[in-house]
Each structure stands twice: as C-alpha cells, then as structure tokens.
C-alpha cells in the first residue's frame, strides 16, 4: 500500500489494474475549466478527473466559508464512489506538478474519510511526461464502483 507518495515507475506498473484508481486533479484558480480541458487533451491512461470546486469542495456560503470549503462526509463518499474508489482501492492523485494543489487536497480528503491507501504521484503529470511515460486523450470508461 502506498500512503503518501508513489513514484512513476511503481504507478505505471498498475495502469489498468482494477485495484488502482488514478485521479487527475489539475485545476487553475484563475480559470476553473482549465483542468478539465487539460485532462481532455492528455491524462494518464484510465485516469478519472476530479474537479476542485465540484468534486473536492462543499458548497460556498457567502460570508461564512472560503472559496473551497470542506464537503460533507456523505457527499464526499459519493464522489469517491463515483470515481471508482472502494474500500480496498489504491488511489493515485496527481495534478500538473508537485501535487501541492488539488492532488494533495484529494489525498487529505481521502485520509480524512478513513481511506489510507492514497498517494500523490511524485512530480505529478509534468514528471510523468518528462520521464516518457504514457498519456492519452482517450475518454476513460465509467467506473464500476
């Protein structure tokens, strides 16, 4: 089980493994649609996309919350299931670079929800591509979760 960071070599061995879910968490604060557009252009084969605002945050209450409040646990559990994450799933979260943005948030949220088998991809998509690892623009099939 990987619980903090996973290297590209270890992660690549599990592309297509039913027990592993790869989640693209790219997001740009100044352009909310940029992450999904980037995902449609290139992502790890079989990965799913989690949007910071829609999937990894709760509703904003003006004057009471920040721009990306913590989601309700039940709502987040539904999101995790929709991404194909089950109790025994190893999750790999990645974003554009080091994981310091939304990939780290997904890692934290899953830990908060009690799911320990989650790791951030070391170096994110940038290192994955620099290392010559595969990417695709093919749509990912809906998860069975």
């Amino acid at each position: 089980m990987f619980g903090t960071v996973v290297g590209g070599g270890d992660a690549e061995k599990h592309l297509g493994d039913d027990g592993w879910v790869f989640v693209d968490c790219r997001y740009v604060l100044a352009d909310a649609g940029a992450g999904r557009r980037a995902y449609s252009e290139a992502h790890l084969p079989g990965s799913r996309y989690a949007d910071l605002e829609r999937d990894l945050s709760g509703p904003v209450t003006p004057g009471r919350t920040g721009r990306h409040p913590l989601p309700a646990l039940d709502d987040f559990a539904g999101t995790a299931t929709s991404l194909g994450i089950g109790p025994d799933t190893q999750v790999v979260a990645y974003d554009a670079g080091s994981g310091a943005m939304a990939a780290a948030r997904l890692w934290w949220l899953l830990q908060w929800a009690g799911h320990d088998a989650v790791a951030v991809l070391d170096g994110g998509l940038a290192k994955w591509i620099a290392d010559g690892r595969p990417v695709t623009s093919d749509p990912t099939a809906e998860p069975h979760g």
Side-chain angles (χ1 to χ4, degrees), residues 22-99:
F22 293 81
V23 183
D24 186 319
C25 301
R26 286 179 283 174
Y27 188 83
V28 177
L29 288 174
D31 181 356
R36 182 166 296 281
R37 288 192 307 274
Y39 172 81
S40 70
E41 293 170 10
H43 54 268
L44 274 63
S47 67
R48 288 147 173 71
Y49 181 74
D51 183 271
L52 175 63
E53 290 184 355
R54 189 189 73 219
D55 302 316
L56 305 180
S57 299
V60 173
T61 304
R64 298 196 70 215
T65 65
R67 65 179 160 202
H68 298 115
L70 190 64
L73 185 55
D74 288 344
D75 292 341
F76 181 67
T79 295
T81 299
S82 73
L83 291 169
I85 300 168
D88 299 320
T89 306
Q90 173 66 57
V91 179
V92 177
Y94 69 92
D95 52 33
S98 66

